[in-house]
Amino acid sequence: MPEKLEPFVSVRDMHVTFGERRHRFEAVRGVSFDIFRGETFGLVGESGSGKTTIGRAILRIYPLSAGEVIFDGERISGKISSALDRRVTQRIQMIFQDPMASLNERAKVDYIVSEGLYNVARGISREERERRVADALSEVGLLPEFASRFPHEFSGGQRQRIGIARALIMEPEFIVADEPISALDVSIRAQVLNLMAALQKKRRLTYLFISHDLSVMRFICDRIAVIHLGRLVELSETEELFRHPLHPYTRALLSAIPQPSPDYARSGELIAYDPSVHDYRTDPPAWTELTPGHFVLGNQKECDAYRKEIEGSAKP
Amino acid sequence: MTDNHEQPVLQVEHLDIKFNLRGKVLHAIRDVSLELYEGETLAIVGESGSGKSVLTKAFMGLNDSNGWVDHGSILYQGHDLARYTTEKEWLTIRGREIAMVLQDPMTSLNPLKTIGAQIEEALRLHQGLRGAAARQRTVELLNDVGITEPDRRRRQYPHEFSGGMRQRVIIAIALACRPRILICDEPTTALDVTIQAQIIRLIYDLVHRLHLTAIYITHDLGVVANVADRVAVMYAGDIVEIGTSREVFYSPAHPYTWALLSSLPQLGKKGEELYTIRGTPPNLYHHITGDAFAPRNPNALKADFIERPPFFDITPTHKARTWLLDERAPDIRPPQVLSRIQSLGQ
Ligand SMILES: Nc1ncnc2c1ncn2[C@@H]1O[C@H](COP(=O)(O)OP(=O)(O)OP(=O)(O)O)[C@@H](O)[C@H]1O
Ligand SMILES: Nc1ncnc2c1ncn2[C@@H]1O[C@H](COP(=O)(O)OP(=O)(O)OP(=O)(O)O)[C@@H](O)[C@H]1O
Ligand SMILES: [Mg+2]
Ligand SMILES: [Mg+2]
């Protein structure tokens, strides 16, 4: 269980905008959440909802147009000192979605894995760098001699491990994992998930785990936030979310999970989300904590209905 | 549903497919036999590289030119497709009799032509439909695949459609020529869950409404449970188990099927390791002796390393290639965790 003291990462009213003037497009529209040290925080939503954008904005790849990101007590968004920038670059790392496309094909594994060190640890010797590469590779279950090979010589699961080694070599404390297993097949998925869990235990890592596969998230996430068109619509502890999904979009997502069991797979009804069910003209929605730790985006009337539902299902 | 008294629409017998790569020969499909029955949906599962695409592309003559059928037959309507060599022969099959829906909806559509023009092109090519007749059929097809306002939509370009809508268009094009067999190769891998669920339902409905026979390739076992009447499990270029969905999910018999199902995250417990299959699949450039899965099977028998197991019948619809089903075999049971599959989704 995560320690509920200080949030380790805090995203406050994050807005991210792309394009200029008439082409302005707000991909993230006022998102707030806290991640505690040692937990795995899930972010789920459909394609284009802004998941990757949030991850990249935390990593300072995209600037925020409003709001802020606090990391371990310090603001890291906007203008920051170069010393803090170096520290953040080392302490926060990202694992990318597609292991086939995200590695530089012309570079050897050795360079790919140690690239990040050139920015934050310029002074280190070649021997030291090689030792760290060997350590990082063996930590993810690859042989140190793989360092002299090229990415195309590896399978999908091995390539994803290389991507993880590249993040680990920086000795980060917080990792944004953007769909780290979506491109892998079932048997390799299990390997990568085990590896991430083992590293988390050993190094007390904190993860932001981005995915659209709720069945996998249920297995690894402590808490899950649901995002729709750049806004969070629900956030809660994982089991609570599966037991009492409140927002109609969350329900639609849950109804779409394909269960690997023929007798149940086809019996479930597919719920479509129709945003016009909300009547927000006179009573606009607010981010509301309905029960401790369970947040939902809803207006007064909706929240009253959600409360009734929770009370109803709590009775025996 | 499967009816074994029926004649199969497609019958594959002892098929071997090889590829030549810089002078070395890769044995991609190894002695596969398979029957496809009228009106059924057969799912093919197996890890990356197991031969799912190569096998089904052979039904349409779509494998790369460095590959060839080395042995065996593919019988369809009295013809042996394995003997087809010319494009002219294949054009009598491709699209008309057997059509394919591929993974990536963006690369399968021409970005410079309207959706309507692309469907009409298929109609002209395969059915000789032109003008008003082609337009009317296009609107019908778009309607069939659940695109609203088809008359307005047909005038739009692919970039104006979402990923899920583009995949619907690809399906409409595949259906344009009223094929008997529809092959879907990972049709939803690039889509997110809600859209994926809609496309799966769509394919399921179309198969039943239009009396199609479908082959559905995926490595997502959740999808398989949703769409398939029967499931074939492939490993290293061979079908190692085949049966109805219920048989394969609830009473799997081959150790590879056990391992595949055991590694489902849905069967995991938080804080515990997920089951993983150790090692890697065999190198298909080398000759394989015995059961190809034996080196990765913790309970492999001596016989597994010596001789390829034959298919043992478990029920009239379920069979598996494993020495475990031989009467002399020791009593090795599937992993305990698999009993939980029955209750998933409850
Ligand atoms: N660099 C960019 N320039 C302009 N628009 C962008 C850029 N990056 C993302 N967007 C837009 O922002 C929105 C959110 O995109 P984002 O990649 O964050 O979605 P996502 O939730 O990660 O989706 P997916 O599940 O498909 O990865 C989309 O509409 C996308 O087109
Ligand atoms: N043109 C080719 N030349 C050489 N080998 C090939 C060629 N096409 C396919 N193969 C090989 O045939 C084997 C089977 O490949 P296939 O594409 O059928 O796998 P698959 O089961 O569809 O995998 P995936 O799930 O990754 O799509 C693989 O070892 C592959 O490398
Ligand atoms: Mg993304
Ligand atoms: Mg394939």
Side-chain angles (χ1 to χ4, degrees):
Chain A
M1 266 278 106
E3 303 155 28
K4 293 275 161 75
L5 307 162
E6 283 280 284
F8 187 45
V9 184
S10 194
V11 171
R12 295 192 190 153
D13 195 30
M14 175 191 276
H15 290 252
V16 181
T17 310
F18 294 112
E20 304 274 302
R21 297 210 194 97
R22 272 195 19 249
H23 300 287
R24 252 177 86 88
F25 171 70
E26 198 167 42
V28 180
R29 307 185 288 155
V31 162
S32 302
F33 56 83
D34 292 330
I35 304 178
F36 299 98
R37 208 186 254 277
E39 82 168 329
T40 300
F41 184 91
L43 188 57
V44 66
E46 67 195 351
S47 190
S49 56
K51 305 181 295 292
T52 298
T53 305
I54 291 175
R56 290 176 163 245
I58 293 174
L59 262 98
R60 307 174 48 75
I61 299 171
Y62 295 148
L64 273 60
S65 51
E68 58 182 5
V69 180
I70 313 287
F71 175 66
D72 202 11
E74 286 179 287
R75 181 176 58 80
I76 57 164
S77 53
K79 258 196 147 36
I80 60 172
S81 73
S82 58
L84 178 57
D85 185 75
R86 259 204 306 283
R87 254 183 299 149
V88 170
T89 309
Q90 177 258 311
R91 295 175 72 190
I92 308 181
Q93 289 291 311
M94 189 150 177
I95 300 171
F96 294 92
Q97 177 159 0
D98 185 354
M100 288 309 170
S102 63
L103 302 179
N104 179 351
E105 289 300 329
R106 276 175 299 185
K108 286 187 181 161
V109 168
D110 169 42
Y111 177 79
I112 292 173
V113 171
S114 63
E115 196 178 3
L117 288 178
Y118 289 98
N119 296 322
V120 297
R122 283 197 200 101
I124 67 169
S125 65
R126 216 182 88 197
E127 290 74 34
E128 170 70 5
R129 194 170 52 83
E130 280 171 1
R131 192 186 57 75
R132 288 219 214 164
V133 170
D135 286 352
L137 288 176
S138 52
E139 188 142 28
V140 298
L142 295 174
L143 297 172
E145 49 266 39
F146 287 177
S148 57
R149 299 205 192 158
F150 290 95
H152 71 258
E153 297 171 44
F154 295 93
S155 71
Q158 288 176 322
R159 293 171 68 113
Q160 196 55 288
R161 285 163 184 267
I162 294 171
I164 297 174
R166 169 166 77 173
L168 284 181
I169 201 168
M170 305 294 284
E171 305 191 333
E173 292 155 63
F174 176 52
I175 292 183
V176 175
D178 190 3
E179 313 236 19
I181 56 163
S182 302
L184 307 173
D185 69 37
V186 193
S187 43
I188 301 171
R189 272 182 187 192
Q191 290 174 12
V192 172
L193 288 176
N194 282 348
L195 172 65
M196 287 181 63
L199 291 168
Q200 179 168 45
K201 247 193 218 148
K202 188 164 149 209
R203 295 197 170 191
R204 213 160 159 255
L205 291 170
T206 304
Y207 290 126
L208 171 59
F209 190 94
I210 296 173
S211 175
H212 57 241
D213 186 347
L214 272 165
S215 55
V216 170
M217 298 181 94
R218 183 176 199 167
F219 173 70
I220 60 158
C221 294
D222 297 298
R223 293 187 300 142
I224 295 178
V226 181
I227 182 170
H228 184 253
L229 298 180
R231 301 186 85 171
L232 292 193
V233 297
E234 192 159 357
L235 189 169
S236 112
E237 286 196 342
T238 302
E239 281 313 308
E240 165 72 9
L241 189 80
F242 277 82
R243 261 196 311 271
H244 303 300
L246 297 174
H247 198 278
Y249 179 65
T250 311
R251 293 182 185 189
L253 271 184
L254 288 173
S255 80
I257 299 177
Q259 289 295 345
S261 183
D263 284 353
Y264 299 98
R266 277 170 229 163
S267 59
E269 197 191 335
L270 200 58
I271 305 171
Y273 175 49
D274 174 8
S276 72
V277 296
H278 307 288
D279 182 5
Y280 290 156
R281 280 166 307 178
T282 53
D283 183 6
W287 188 234
T288 313
E289 187 168 12
L290 279 185
T291 55
H294 193 159
F295 296 81
V296 68
L297 183 71
N299 62 18
Q300 196 67 51
K301 201 170 141 222
E302 289 173 329
C303 288
D304 288 344
Y306 296 152
R307 267 193 207 97
K308 275 217 188 81
E309 222 170 284
I310 294 177
E311 280 160 19
S313 66
K315 281 184 202 124
Chain B
M1 267 276 118
T2 319
D3 183 348
N4 268 320
H5 309 295
E6 241 176 291
Q7 268 298 104
V9 256
L10 185 90
Q11 189 163 12
V12 179
E13 281 177 337
H14 300 293
L15 190 69
D16 278 282
I17 297 178
K18 295 181 175 174
F19 288 92
N20 191 329
L21 212 61
R22 293 183 292 275
K24 288 208 290 180
V25 173
L26 179 144
H27 201 162
I29 298 298
R30 303 183 302 122
D31 187 31
V32 163
S33 298
L34 174 70
E35 277 154 5
L36 188 66
Y37 297 100
E38 184 94 51
E40 75 166 337
T41 297
L42 172 76
I44 304 182
V45 299
E47 64 198 303
S48 191
S50 57
K52 306 180 294 293
S53 298
V54 167
L55 174 64
T56 48
K57 279 182 182 168
F59 307 161
M60 297 177 69
L62 288 176
N63 274 310
D64 297 330
S65 59
N66 62 330
W68 69 95
V69 172
D70 199 60
H71 182 85
S73 55
I74 305 168
L75 299 175
Y76 178 78
Q77 303 275 297
H79 300 279
D80 183 2
L81 307 185
R83 289 160 174 259
Y84 280 18
T85 46
T86 63
E87 279 299 291
K88 196 168 154 235
E89 283 171 311
W90 280 117
L91 285 179
T92 64
I93 297 293
R94 236 181 254 158
R96 287 166 195 258
E97 302 289 331
I98 308 178
M100 201 167 214
V101 175
L102 295 172
Q103 175 169 348
D104 187 354
M106 207 50 203
T107 53
S108 330
L109 289 173
N110 182 342
L112 302 176
K113 287 187 179 166
T114 63
I115 296 296
Q118 300 189 52
I119 299 176
E120 284 174 36
E121 197 174 294
L123 290 169
R124 190 175 62 243
L125 200 67
H126 298 290
Q127 296 197 304
L129 281 185
R130 282 162 206 280
R135 238 181 339 267
Q136 194 198 331
R137 179 87 181 110
T138 299
V139 169
E140 273 171 30
L141 281 165
L142 287 174
N143 213 20
D144 272 348
V145 296
I147 289 182
T148 50
E149 299 182 78
D151 198 42
R152 180 173 71 84
R153 288 299 195 167
R154 72 182 174 82
R155 288 175 246 228
Q156 294 185 322
Y157 291 87
H159 74 262
E160 297 175 75
F161 279 46
S162 71
M165 284 167 74
R166 285 196 289 262
Q167 196 57 292
R168 286 172 195 265
V169 172
I170 306 277
I171 294 170
I173 292 175
L175 295 177
C177 319
R178 304 176 195 272
R180 289 178 56 153
I181 302 177
L182 182 69
I183 300 173
C184 303
D185 194 347
E186 307 263 6
T188 59
T189 308
L191 304 171
D192 66 50
V193 243
T194 35
I195 314 290
Q196 167 180 299
Q198 291 165 14
I199 298 287
I200 291 170
R201 289 280 156 115
L202 172 67
I203 292 175
Y204 188 83
D205 289 346
L206 287 171
V207 164
H208 290 258
R209 194 146 48 87
L210 306 176
H211 306 293
L212 297 170
T213 303
I215 299 179
Y216 203 106
I217 299 173
T218 176
H219 40 232
D220 187 331
L221 293 164
V223 173
V224 173
N226 264 272
V227 297
D229 299 314
R230 284 198 306 150
V231 181
V233 181
M234 284 193 81
Y235 186 77
D238 192 6
I239 292 178
V240 297
E241 178 160 3
I242 187 164
T244 66
S245 275
R246 297 192 84 250
E247 286 168 336
V248 172
F249 277 91
Y250 300 150
S251 9
H254 195 284
Y256 174 66
T257 315
W258 295 350
L260 192 67
L261 291 169
S262 301
S263 48
L264 277 167
Q266 286 93 335
L267 297 182
K269 284 214 178 74
K270 234 188 220 150
E272 285 174 26
E273 289 230 310
L274 283 169
Y275 179 85
T276 56
I277 307 176
R278 58 178 194 179
T280 50
N283 184 338
L284 297 175
Y285 285 106
H286 295 165
H287 178 71
I288 293 172
T289 315
D291 180 333
F293 186 60
R296 303 173 77 186
N297 178 3
N299 300 315
L301 309 174
K302 261 206 197 100
D304 287 331
F305 294 95
I306 299 163
E307 196 182 338
R308 180 188 187 217
F311 262 125
F312 290 92
D313 288 320
I314 304 161
T315 71
T317 48
H318 188 193
K319 54 186 179 172
R321 266 188 200 282
T322 167
W323 287 117
L324 287 180
L325 295 172
D326 188 275
E327 53 189 13
R328 292 160 295 178
D331 185 21
I332 296 176
R333 300 284 170 87
Q336 195 54 43
V337 58
L338 293 187
S339 60
R340 295 189 36 215
I341 291 183
Q342 288 256 21
S343 58
L344 282 177
Q346 263 176 338

